[in-house]
Amino acid sequence: MAGREHTSKHYEHQLRLLKDKLLLMSHQAEQMISDAMRALTERRPSLADEVISRDDTLDHLEVEIDTLCYEILALEQPVASDLRFIATALKIVRDIERIGDTAVNIAERARELIQEPELKKLIAPPVMGQSAQRILKSSLDAFVNSDADLAEKVIKEDDDIDDLYEQIFRELLTYMIEDTRNISRALKLIFIAKHLERVGDHSANIAEMVVFMVRGQDIRHGTRSDRG
């Protein structure tokens, strides 16, 4: 009995540790996106450099979470609900790591843009950045709290991110047509907007996996085109 109780306590500890590491990695990714956009709007190259340097920490957390998931699967014989949680965590951690890579890409473009005169006062990209951060946080909250309703809301809101990207693309295209000297800076801003769109896509991926985890319903294929 003592041995069984010890195993149970260890099992619960491992699950809590997994959730804590996921929360830490999620927070790091959210902060990297936020700081990359601040580096752009506030024209702070040192902050852009800091975002780029943090990518290693995110990569290490990904490896730690992967290892912990496989340890729990191999040694603890998780019950069905926990098994689905762990399997989902293994998938979600990939999206979180890619969000970190996206933040690095934004920071690199921001660092380049800071060296040039501002093309215009940035309004739409920061708004898009805030929207991307908001649904990223919501998708991760949905995962931690097993909230399928919140996850479905994230999936719908991803369409708003796509609409913002189209708006920014059209506006910057106009700037390029008006003056060829704007092309280089406008293209960098389009790349940044595209990266933010990818944050929305990763958030929607996470949300879809949450729906599967909670309801056992796979909505990854054939349904997102019918959203709205």
Side-chain angles (χ1 to χ4, degrees):
M1 177 71 75
R4 198 175 303 162
E5 183 181 347
H6 172 76
T7 301
S8 176
K9 283 182 178 177
H10 184 258
Y11 173 58
E12 293 299 325
H13 170 75
Q14 293 290 81
L15 284 177
R16 279 198 307 273
L17 184 60
L18 174 57
K19 287 184 179 180
D20 287 346
K21 284 185 178 293
L22 279 164
L23 281 170
L24 176 60
M25 187 177 181
S26 302
H27 175 73
Q28 294 266 12
E30 286 177 47
Q31 195 62 50
M32 285 173 71
I33 293 290
S34 174
D35 286 346
M37 290 305 296
R38 280 178 57 218
L40 173 66
T41 56
E42 298 174 13
R43 300 178 70 80
R44 293 172 56 186
S46 60
L47 186 56
D49 291 339
E50 190 183 323
V51 170
I52 294 165
S53 70
R54 276 187 244 155
D55 191 42
D56 285 343
T57 302
L58 215 62
D59 291 343
H60 288 313
L61 278 168
E62 180 191 15
V63 172
E64 288 176 14
I65 289 168
D66 274 353
T67 301
L68 184 55
C69 284
Y70 290 126
E71 282 179 2
I72 296 171
L73 289 171
L75 303 175
E76 302 293 349
Q77 297 181 323
V79 296
S81 59
D82 292 336
L83 185 61
R84 193 178 284 176
F85 174 82
I86 294 162
T88 304
L90 280 166
K91 294 177 181 178
I92 282 175
V93 75
R94 302 282 178 275
D95 281 285
I96 299 173
E97 191 275 333
R98 288 181 185 129
I99 287 165
D101 290 343
T102 299
V104 169
N105 290 333
I106 293 171
E108 288 173 343
R109 297 291 82 75
R111 196 167 55 178
E112 293 168 4
L113 281 162
I114 290 165
Q115 307 304 318
E116 305 177 57
E118 277 192 283
L119 179 62
K120 54 170 287 187
K121 188 64 180 174
L122 295 176
I123 297 174
V127 169
M128 188 178 180
Q130 290 164 8
S131 298
Q133 291 168 57
R134 185 179 65 253
I135 72 164
L136 170 59
K137 185 179 188 307
S138 294
S139 71
L140 296 167
D141 286 346
F143 171 61
V144 170
N145 298 312
S146 298
D147 189 339
D149 291 336
L150 179 58
E152 287 183 333
K153 185 180 175 186
V154 167
I155 293 166
K156 289 176 182 175
E157 287 183 349
D158 181 39
D159 286 338
D160 297 336
I161 305 290
D162 295 340
D163 291 343
L164 278 168
Y165 170 73
E166 292 298 329
Q167 175 188 328
I168 290 169
F169 180 84
R170 287 194 300 269
E171 185 177 0
L172 290 169
L173 187 60
T174 301
Y175 275 84
M176 289 190 282
I177 292 169
E178 286 175 353
D179 190 339
T180 56
R181 291 173 298 180
N182 294 332
I183 289 176
S184 175
R185 286 169 291 170
L187 281 174
K188 291 183 179 81
L189 286 169
I190 287 172
F191 288 144
I192 287 172
K194 188 64 179 176
H195 290 316
L196 291 171
E197 185 193 34
R198 291 299 299 150
V199 173
D201 290 341
H202 287 304
S203 301
N205 289 344
I206 292 169
E208 287 170 345
M209 287 183 273
V210 170
V211 173
F212 174 72
M213 179 181 74
V214 176
R215 297 179 180 161
Q217 177 187 4
D218 191 339
I219 61 171
R220 289 175 299 170
H221 303 292
T223 56
R224 280 181 67 180
S225 60
D226 300 327
R227 293 198 308 259

